[in-house]
Each structure stands twice: as structure tokens, then as C-alpha cells.
Amino acid sequence: MGKIIRATAGDGFIKMAAVEAKDIVQRACDIHRCAPTAAAALGRTLCAASIMGNMMKEEQATLTIRINGGGPVGSIVAVSDCEGNVRGYVEDPTVDLPLRADGKLNVGAAVGRDGMLTVSRDIGLKEPYIGSTELRSGEIAEDVTAYLLESEQVPSACALGVLVDTDYSIKAAGGFIVQLMPGAPDGLIDKLEDNIFMMDQLTTILSEDGVDAVFNQVLKGLEHHIVGESEVAYRCYCSRERVAQALTVIDQSDLEEMIADNKDISVKCQFCDADYTFKPLDLQKILESRKK
């Protein structure tokens, strides 16, 4: 399990949410067998999606972040429900690059910068709201910050971090998004910027003191109030029924060809690796249901 905490500060002009997601990212890496650099890229995206999903007010709403910067990891997808429970995958989880000169994982090179970050919000209307921005660095936090400003017109700061231990387990993972409401005084903005610039490394705070300490550093000198706290998890909503429903959209000729082969087919969930087997008789029933 992980945890999301939400707070306000500066007489309501500042809103902040932070997630502790060590177990969530570990679960994702176990499922997809991620190498360290791919683990950091996927983990950061999952943390961002969890926070942004938790910000949505509509019940049953979902938020999807898609990133493709042309780098060796390929596409990264993270999906959150309105509570902040997430699932995701990275196209090539085996990618592991040499460390940067500062000793950090080279997520930017793995993701690339020649592409887009796209956010899709499905709140139950006919069409989801989709916004996107060009990637700035491929490091993900900076790209999320740019998206929030350009597509949602909300001045924000985002930090995301995944610390991979020497045995490739996840030692720490999490992130925060802090947002300024309209009319925030300049002095408040300056104080917040100074705090973020001077704060310790995010994964160090998370591994040594926990997510609560993130608020103490980001909002240092600013009276803040915790307004919400909830548990979150890596959660996939796949089921045999949902997979069967997805098979109904396959071209009729393709379904008929599968049935004629008289072999079982296996469908694997991209998010959790669950394997669903359908026998020719099952496919026949799906075909007949389409014809009705």
C-alpha cells in the first residue's frame, strides 16, 4: 500500500499533495520485471498519475498519462482511478542505462525528449478531456509541471523520485505536486520557490523520514493544514468478463479465423500480466453475441 496526503497553506493560496509509493512501484516492477532505469521511469509516471487522479472530484473518473519521447523505453502508460490507485506499464522494461555524471539514474535519456506527454481524463462524458504538451526533459517531473501550466493553466511545481537499491528493490518512491491558486501574493511564491530549491533530495526525505516530512520542507515557514489522507495501491481492474468484452470489437473475420484454427487463445493483461485463456467454444459464443 501507499499513502496520499493533501494539504493547504498560505491562507488557501497553496494546495499540495504528496504520495508515498514504495510498495506500489515495487509491485509494478515485480510484475513487469523492470531494470533500474525503466523502473524509475515507470515509477515516476505512476506517482504523478496517482496524485493527479486523486485530485479529481468526479466519482468513477479515471486519469491516464501517456509518455513517448522516442527513447529506448518506448511508451509509458499509467492509469489512476479517482482515489489514486494506479496501474501501468513501460514498453521495454529491460532498459538500463549508465548512471548520469551526478550518479542518478538517466531517466531522461531512457524516455527521450522527442515526443509528447498526454493526459486523458475520463469523467463519464461521451469523450474524455485530453491535453498534451511537448516533453521538456524526459525526466517526467519537469514535463508534468509544463503540462499543468500549459494545458490546465495552473502554476505548479512537481517533484518525483524513485530510489533503486543495490539489489534492484525499490528503496523509496513518491512525489508531490504543489499548486498556486489565482491571486497568490508574490512573497508567497518566492518563499515556496526558495523552499523547493533548498529542500533535501526527495527520495532521501522519503526513505529517512517519510512522506509527512516532505510537507515540512516544501511548506517550511508557511502554516499548513492537512485536509485529507488516504491509502492507495497498485490496482488493476482487469477481469475475464472485460477481456471477453474487448474481444467483441475484433473484426468478425478474425474471430472466425481464430475459431477455425480450433486452438485456445491466450490474452495477457498489459497492466498486471494476468493471463486469460479462451477456448474455441468461448470465441464462438462471443461471435454469436455480436450477431445478436
Side-chain angles (χ1 to χ4, degrees):
M1 299 290 287
K3 180 168 68 172
I4 286 182
I5 301 175
R6 299 179 305 280
T8 62
D11 295 326
F13 283 113
I14 297 173
K15 291 185 177 180
M16 178 175 170
V19 64
E20 190 287 311
K22 173 185 172 182
D23 292 344
I24 290 173
V25 177
Q26 184 66 67
R27 173 66 177 143
C29 292
D30 289 345
I31 290 170
H32 301 299
R33 300 175 181 85
C34 292
T37 313
L42 176 58
R44 291 180 189 181
T45 310
L46 287 169
C47 290
S50 180
I51 297 170
M52 293 169 68
N54 183 266
M55 289 176 172
M56 295 191 298
K57 297 177 175 62
E58 299 85 1
E59 291 187 12
Q60 309 303 318
T62 61
L63 177 140
T64 302
I65 297 178
R66 291 182 174 86
I67 299 173
N68 193 324
V73 296
S75 296
I76 307 170
V77 176
V79 183
S80 174
D81 62 20
C82 62
E83 296 176 354
N85 300 304
V86 285
R87 59 194 186 275
Y89 65 87
V90 57
E91 190 173 350
D92 187 349
T94 67
V95 170
D96 196 22
L97 302 181
L99 298 177
R100 298 185 335 196
D102 59 5
K104 295 182 179 180
L105 292 167
N106 200 346
V107 174
V111 173
R113 291 185 293 178
D114 185 17
M116 307 291 289
L117 180 150
T118 300
V119 177
S120 174
R121 299 174 187 270
D122 188 343
I123 59 174
L125 303 177
K126 286 186 177 181
E127 297 292 336
Y129 167 79
I130 299 175
S132 61
T133 187
E134 292 184 358
L135 291 171
R136 295 295 192 277
S137 67
E139 293 285 342
I140 301 175
E142 183 181 344
D143 304 305
V144 170
T145 299
Y147 164 79
L148 290 169
L149 179 60
E150 293 178 11
S151 290
E152 302 196 2
Q153 306 298 307
V154 181
S156 309
C158 175
L160 304 164
V162 174
L163 182 61
V164 181
D165 213 339
T166 53
D167 63 357
Y168 288 4
S169 66
I170 304 302
K171 188 173 182 179
F176 69 80
I177 293 177
V178 58
Q179 298 183 317
L180 289 167
M181 298 299 102
D186 292 340
L188 196 62
I189 298 171
D190 294 340
K191 176 63 175 171
L192 193 59
E193 289 178 343
D194 289 343
N195 286 350
I196 293 173
F197 180 76
M198 295 298 294
M199 69 181 288
D200 295 330
Q201 188 168 312
L202 177 61
T203 51
T204 300
I205 302 172
L206 291 169
S207 62
E208 294 182 358
D209 301 308
V211 67
D212 302 81
V214 176
F215 290 88
N216 296 333
Q217 293 208 22
V218 175
L219 302 177
K220 184 178 180 180
L222 301 169
E223 183 179 356
H224 67 274
H225 306 278
I226 302 299
V227 296
E229 182 174 325
S230 55
E231 289 188 339
V232 289
Y234 189 97
R235 184 172 297 167
C236 186
Y237 291 94
C238 74
S239 66
R240 183 177 177 81
E241 290 72 24
R242 288 194 173 200
V243 175
Q245 181 63 34
L247 289 173
T248 63
V249 303
I250 293 176
D251 287 343
Q252 181 173 322
S253 59
D254 291 336
L255 264 178
E256 290 171 343
E257 186 176 330
M258 292 178 191
I259 295 168
D261 285 342
N262 201 32
K263 294 179 181 178
D264 295 353
I265 68 163
S266 177
V267 181
K268 184 171 287 190
C269 175
Q270 286 181 299
F271 295 107
C272 71
D273 262 5
D275 209 332
Y276 298 95
T277 300
F278 291 83
K279 297 181 179 298
L281 182 59
D282 298 323
L283 298 176
Q284 184 65 45
K285 290 178 180 177
I286 291 172
L287 181 61
E288 290 171 357
S289 70
R290 281 187 50 167
K291 293 178 178 179
K292 291 179 180 179

